[in-house]
């Protein structure tokens, strides 16, 4: 009964946000009985909810050294706790990690929702990315508001997310945005987003940009028009290919992935086999979006590429294609790129294997804080 009394007292202090007093009480109880797990668990929660993420993870180390238990409930709270803290890179890491989950639990979705109104643009970008990757339709109105955000990166990602969600109620807003936008990158992404809706009433608006002086912008328009009219961008691809403009070809690789153009599969494979072809990272990304497991042989050589962008996209594509070779992702856990380490941890947890879980947990205990965040979330999938 007296334990419940302290739990209630700590809960009250948490609600009152009197974190210092809660820690003092718990420290006193730990001194009295260092072996009592409940006090250490509560202390971790206090640090996590107060935004002291580093201290929360350090306290978890102590808890594990005494209990030798992998506490998934605590790890979930630790992994999500940055969303209530003030350190933007930590929040961003949470959102990127959640975006790559196969499924997003409803309770987690509710916690992540506030990222769309965060004061830091990088967090709002992460919220848009999460919305787009999981096609969170109920966030559409918030994304509409963000298309008027003062930061270009936020606007761009909000438009992209609306293109992924494809809520027809907001197509008129995208058309209006296209008519008034000045920034070429915003216009280009809006064209891409509108194209994904495959709405023929948008053709007149899109065709106005076919002869735009910006090559990327006009190419986006050409692709969107063809996709709406024919369901393919094959003619656009052949037209750009004949121009022998490597930069535009790299942009086309991205569009092939965005529009899921399986009829251009052979072109993507040819690009990846061509030593002289540039922007291969975009072709790798496209293959991950539209390929299947048999395509892994093509990607495999890029897992060890000296080009970090190629390597990152190869690992992400391997995950998206459902590759189950554990050794690949074990190796990825030690890559110099945190993006590869993160996606490798997520991929390994898909196996639901206790030994792999223990391996990820051991890595968490000896990692830096950013790695600890995605590892904690991966373990609790």
């Amino acid at each position: 009964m007296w334990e419940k009394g302290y739990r209630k007292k700590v809960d009250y202090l948490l609600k009152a946000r009197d974190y210092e007093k809660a820690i003092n009480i718990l420290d006193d109880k730990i001194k009295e009985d260092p072996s009592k797990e409940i006090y250490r668990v509560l202390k971790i929660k206090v640090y996590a909810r107060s935004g002291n993420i580093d201290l929360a993870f350090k306290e978890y180390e102590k808890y594990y050294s005494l209990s030798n238990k992998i506490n998934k409930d605590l790890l979930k709270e630790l992994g999500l706790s940055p969303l209530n803290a003030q350190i933007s890179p930590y929040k961003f890491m949470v959102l990127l990690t959640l975006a790559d989950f196969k499924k997003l639990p409803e309770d987690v979705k509710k916690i992540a929702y506030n990222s769309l109104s965060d004061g830091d643009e990088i967090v709002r970008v992460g919220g848009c990315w999460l919305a787009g990757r999981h096609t969170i339709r109920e966030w559409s109105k918030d994304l509409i508001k963000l298309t008027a955000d003062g930061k270009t990166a936020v606007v761009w990602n909000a438009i992209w997310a609306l293109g992924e969600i494809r809520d027809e109620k907001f197509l008129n807003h995208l058309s209006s945005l296209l008519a008034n936008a000045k920034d070429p990158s915003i216009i280009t992404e809006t064209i891409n987003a509108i194209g994904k809706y495959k709405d023929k009433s948008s053709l007149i608006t899109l065709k106005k940009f076919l002869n735009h002086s910006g090559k990327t912008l006009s190419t986006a328009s050409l692709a969107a028009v063809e996709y709406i009219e024919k369901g393919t961008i094959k003619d656009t691809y052949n037209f750009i290919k004949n121009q022998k403009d490597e930069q535009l070809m790299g942009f086309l690789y991205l569009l092939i992935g965005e529009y899921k153009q399986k009829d251009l599969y052979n072109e993507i494979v040819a690009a990846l086999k061509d030593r002289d072809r540039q922007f291969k990272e975009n072709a790798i990304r496209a293959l991950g979006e539209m390929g299947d497991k048999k395509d892994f042989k093509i990607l495999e050589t890029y897992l060890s590429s000296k080009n970090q962008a190629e390597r990152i996209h190869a690992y992400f594509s391997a995950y998206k294609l459902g590759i189950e070779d554990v050794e690949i992702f074990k190796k990825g856990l030690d890559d110099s790129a945190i993006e590869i380490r993160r996606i490798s941890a997520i991929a390994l947890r898909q196996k639901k294997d206790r030994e792999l879980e223990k391996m990820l947990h051991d890595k968490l205990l000896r990692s830096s804080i950013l790695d600890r965040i995605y590892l904690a979330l991966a373990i609790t999938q």
Side-chain angles (χ1 to χ4, degrees):
M1 290 296 292
W2 52 276
E3 279 185 16
K4 288 184 179 179
Y6 269 96
R7 192 195 294 261
K8 285 183 179 180
K9 193 168 186 178
V10 170
D11 285 342
Y12 172 80
L13 291 171
L14 281 173
K15 288 176 183 177
R17 297 188 177 183
D18 193 344
Y19 304 119
E20 185 177 356
K21 188 172 183 179
I23 291 295
N24 288 336
I25 289 172
L26 291 168
D27 279 342
D28 288 341
K29 298 307 295 181
I30 289 170
K31 286 179 183 177
E32 289 177 15
D33 189 352
S35 65
K36 208 75 173 179
E37 289 182 21
I38 183 61
Y39 301 133
R40 295 189 180 276
V41 168
L42 289 171
K43 190 175 179 181
I44 293 166
K45 290 185 176 184
V46 173
Y47 276 139
R49 294 181 195 181
S50 67
N52 288 307
I53 314 303
D54 297 68
L55 289 176
F57 272 108
K58 286 178 182 177
E59 198 62 37
Y60 180 82
E61 286 181 60
K62 297 176 185 176
Y63 162 81
Y64 182 74
S65 67
L66 289 168
S67 67
N68 201 34
K69 296 176 185 176
I70 298 176
N71 190 320
K72 291 185 183 179
D73 288 335
L74 271 182
L75 288 173
K76 182 178 180 180
E77 179 147 5
L78 283 169
L80 293 173
S81 61
L83 293 178
N84 297 317
Q86 300 299 317
I87 304 175
S88 297
Y90 292 2
K91 292 185 182 182
F92 190 59
M93 177 58 70
V94 175
L95 296 166
L96 289 185
T97 303
L98 295 176
D100 287 314
F101 278 12
K102 297 293 185 183
K103 292 182 180 179
L104 189 65
E106 285 299 318
D107 63 325
V108 173
K109 191 188 298 183
K110 289 178 181 177
I111 295 170
Y113 171 70
N114 289 333
S115 62
L116 296 176
S117 56
D118 194 89
D120 194 298
E121 67 175 293
I122 190 175
V123 180
R124 299 197 298 280
V125 165
C128 292
W129 186 248
L130 180 63
R133 291 296 293 177
H134 286 283
T135 59
I136 307 176
R137 190 172 292 266
E138 60 267 34
W139 290 9
S140 294
K141 289 183 179 179
D142 299 276
L143 294 169
I144 288 292
K145 291 178 183 178
L146 289 178
T147 62
D149 193 277
K151 301 294 184 179
T152 300
V154 178
V155 175
W156 191 93
N157 279 278
I159 293 167
W160 169 80
L162 288 167
E164 292 296 294
I165 293 169
R166 298 176 182 82
D167 190 329
E168 292 183 2
K169 295 194 299 289
F170 302 112
L171 182 57
N172 286 339
H173 176 81
L174 288 173
S175 297
S176 175
L177 188 66
L178 184 60
N180 295 292
K182 304 298 181 184
D183 187 319
S185 68
I186 298 298
I187 297 172
T188 301
E189 189 53 44
T190 308
I191 289 170
N192 294 341
I194 291 174
K196 293 174 185 176
Y197 282 75
K198 297 186 75 173
D199 185 278
K200 290 189 176 181
S201 66
S202 303
L203 287 170
I204 294 174
T205 304
L206 293 174
K207 286 180 178 179
K208 292 178 181 178
F209 296 93
L210 287 174
N211 296 314
H212 195 279
S213 58
K215 291 192 293 184
T216 301
L217 198 158
S218 61
T219 300
S221 179
L222 188 64
V225 168
E226 185 186 1
Y227 182 68
I228 292 171
E229 290 182 335
K230 302 179 181 179
T232 181
I233 62 169
K234 196 169 187 177
D235 291 343
T236 302
Y237 179 86
N238 290 329
F239 174 70
I240 299 301
K241 185 178 180 181
N242 289 334
Q243 293 185 30
K244 297 182 179 180
D245 185 322
E246 287 292 333
Q247 188 168 5
L248 277 183
M249 285 300 293
F251 177 61
L252 254 297
Y253 298 151
L254 288 177
L255 290 184
I256 289 170
E258 290 287 310
Y259 287 128
K260 308 292 190 293
Q261 291 292 284
K262 290 185 178 291
D263 57 342
L264 288 168
Y265 166 85
N266 290 335
E267 296 291 347
I268 290 296
V269 171
L272 292 174
K273 290 181 177 179
D274 187 344
R275 288 186 177 182
D276 298 323
R277 200 73 66 91
Q278 297 178 35
F279 303 100
K280 287 186 179 180
E281 64 272 18
N282 293 349
I284 294 168
R285 176 175 167 176
L287 195 61
E289 293 291 342
M290 66 179 189
D292 55 40
K293 287 184 179 181
K294 68 177 174 53
D295 298 318
F296 180 64
K297 289 183 179 179
I298 303 165
L299 292 174
E300 196 166 12
T301 57
Y302 290 99
L303 293 171
S304 55
S305 173
K306 292 181 180 179
N307 181 316
Q308 181 170 283
E310 291 179 357
R311 207 166 67 248
I312 289 171
H313 284 295
Y315 269 92
F316 271 80
S317 293
Y319 169 63
K320 288 178 183 177
L321 294 177
I323 302 305
E324 297 179 353
D325 190 333
V326 168
E327 296 306 316
I328 288 169
F329 295 111
K330 279 185 178 179
K331 183 179 179 182
L333 284 177
D334 295 318
D335 196 275
S336 60
I338 192 169
E339 295 94 337
I340 293 175
R341 299 198 299 272
R342 178 170 61 80
I343 203 63
S344 294
I346 295 170
L348 286 170
R349 268 310 281 151
Q350 302 301 306
K351 299 290 287 184
K352 304 300 179 187
D353 181 275
R354 286 190 178 183
E355 287 187 14
L356 291 175
E357 179 184 279
K358 179 68 165 55
M359 182 189 71
L360 292 173
H361 190 267
D362 288 345
K363 186 170 179 62
L364 179 148
L365 294 173
R366 63 177 188 272
S367 294
S368 62
I369 187 65
L370 280 174
D371 288 271
R372 286 183 169 192
I373 290 169
Y374 70 72
L375 285 162
L377 290 170
I379 290 168
T380 58
Q381 282 187 88

